[in-house]
Amino acid sequence: MTQFAMIAVGAMLVLGLLAYLFLGSGGSSTTKRLNAFRARYSDSAAAQVEQQMRKAIASRRPLNLMTADELTMTDRLRLRLLQTGKGWTIKQYGYVSGGIFMVLFGVLFFKGAPLYLSLAFAAFVAIAVPHMGVNMAIKRRITNFTSNFPDAIELLVRGLKSGLPVSETLGVVAKEIPGPVGEEFRIATEKIKIGKTMEDALQETADRLGTPEFQFFVITLAIQRETGGNLAETLSNLSDVLRKRAQMKLKIKAMSSESKASAYIVGSLPFFVFGMVWYVNPEYLAGFFYEPRLMIAGVVGAVWMGIGAFIMAKMVNFEI
């Protein structure tokens, strides 16, 4: 009964943590519900008008144009899932996290691992692995977009030189360029067709992508519309700048590859040695899981190794 109660309490804590991560703080949501309830049943005409205006603004304002203070944890997660381009939902994300937690906790607990260690490790993996998977999907898509974006700008330049308007050339790019570039331009052209201005449609795409390359493109179009000039020549210069920027990134990546490899080896070597010794002689390291002094020493050592790995990663990471 004691073990069952401890498992139940641990599961409730983990579920509470997941609910907090997905749904955000409960204070703000409670306040919003109270304000909505008060406005709904209030006799004041001003309160009812304010409620209707708030609903209209919230329904028309896209998620990616909200400020950081207005975004809840659910909104941030939904925006990250949109950036992957995979069509994943929050419910699927929660199912994956819950499945990883239940499977890993069951394997560790029934293999004889301590209860608290099983709960902590399963919760950590259940939160970290989906988060890392989403990060990898976002990074892969952004890398693909950045590599093909100069080709899209060159196609825009050729369309403008042939006499097509900007809106038509955006549609040509959406049809001709495959991958994330075509998808994003297709979304922008569809928004333009239903009445949204080109600047707003492209700015929403830039906010969703979060890449400086596309932000440069949007700023270039906005400045050209305000000041005039040869848009084809301006976009041609922008394409050349983006290609040189990509070449500089590759050069820095090649020059820092040796340092990155050294950092990976130094950072992973302690954990690799610990795992090998545990596999060969588990009794030799068993004290790290039940001896308080060894547990504290292990946690402190892991924290210091994490700080060292973080510093090495920052030393070999360069932004252009």
Side-chain angles (χ1 to χ4, degrees):
M1 291 297 295
T2 304
Q3 292 183 354
F4 179 77
M6 295 174 67
I7 293 173
V9 171
M12 292 176 62
L13 290 175
V14 173
L15 292 176
L17 177 62
L18 293 175
Y20 177 78
L21 290 174
F22 294 150
L23 301 179
S25 59
S28 59
S29 59
T30 303
T31 304
K32 292 178 182 178
R33 287 196 297 268
L34 288 175
N35 292 334
F37 182 81
R38 187 182 300 111
R40 182 183 303 172
Y41 295 100
S42 177
D43 295 334
S44 175
Q48 295 179 359
V49 171
E50 182 181 357
Q51 178 68 11
Q52 294 296 328
M53 291 179 62
R54 188 182 296 111
K55 288 182 179 180
I57 294 174
S59 62
R60 297 182 61 184
R61 192 175 189 185
L63 177 64
N64 51 9
L65 293 183
M66 294 183 180
T67 61
D69 296 334
E70 295 175 336
L71 289 176
T72 63
M73 296 297 295
T74 308
D75 296 332
R76 292 189 181 97
L77 180 59
R78 186 182 299 112
L79 181 58
R80 282 169 47 80
L81 295 177
L82 285 175
Q83 291 174 348
T84 61
K86 302 292 186 181
W88 295 337
T89 62
I90 297 180
K91 184 180 293 186
Q92 294 174 345
Y93 187 90
Y95 287 158
V96 172
S97 298
I100 292 174
F101 172 78
M102 297 300 295
V103 171
L104 188 58
F105 172 75
V107 171
L108 292 176
F109 184 74
F110 289 108
K111 285 291 184 179
L115 176 64
Y116 293 114
L117 178 63
S118 302
L119 285 173
F121 187 75
F124 174 77
V125 174
I127 295 174
V129 170
H131 183 80
M132 294 174 61
V134 172
N135 282 343
M136 292 176 61
I138 294 175
K139 185 177 180 180
R140 188 183 301 111
R141 189 169 188 268
I142 293 301
T143 302
N144 191 2
F145 181 91
T146 305
S147 61
N148 294 326
F149 187 53
D151 297 334
I153 297 180
E154 291 292 341
L155 184 58
L156 279 172
V157 172
R158 291 195 294 268
L160 292 173
K161 288 182 178 180
S162 64
L164 292 176
V166 180
S167 58
E168 293 294 332
T169 55
L170 292 178
V172 172
V173 172
K175 295 178 181 178
E176 298 296 332
I177 302 297
V181 177
E183 295 174 1
E184 296 296 337
F185 274 91
R186 190 177 305 111
I187 294 173
T189 53
E190 290 176 356
K191 291 180 180 179
I192 295 173
K193 289 179 181 179
I194 62 176
K196 191 179 289 291
T197 62
M198 185 179 66
E199 288 82 2
D200 292 340
L202 294 176
Q203 187 60 49
E204 290 181 10
T205 304
D207 293 334
R208 183 173 62 255
L209 289 173
T211 58
E213 288 81 4
F214 198 84
Q215 191 67 45
F216 293 157
F217 172 71
V218 175
I219 293 173
T220 300
L221 290 180
I223 293 175
Q224 193 274 338
R225 280 186 172 269
E226 292 292 334
T227 60
N230 191 347
L231 180 59
E233 183 179 358
T234 304
L235 291 179
S236 179
N237 294 332
L238 176 62
S239 175
D240 184 61
V241 170
L242 294 182
R243 292 185 186 278
K244 291 181 179 179
R245 176 186 172 92
Q247 292 175 0
M248 181 63 67
K249 285 184 177 181
L250 293 176
K251 185 181 295 185
I252 291 177
K253 183 179 180 180
M255 295 176 64
S256 62
S257 59
E258 183 178 357
S259 300
K260 288 184 178 180
S262 301
Y264 293 150
I265 294 172
V266 173
S268 61
L269 187 60
F271 301 97
F272 177 75
V273 172
F274 186 90
M276 292 298 296
V277 175
W278 173 265
Y279 179 77
V280 174
N281 189 5
E283 297 179 357
Y284 182 74
L285 298 177
F288 281 96
F289 300 104
Y290 63 85
E291 180 66 31
R293 290 175 295 179
L294 289 178
M295 293 175 66
I296 294 174
V299 171
V300 172
V303 170
W304 279 109
M305 284 189 292
I307 294 174
F310 176 77
I311 293 174
M312 287 189 293
K314 288 297 183 181
M315 291 175 64
V316 298
N317 188 20
F318 302 94
E319 294 292 337
I320 302 299

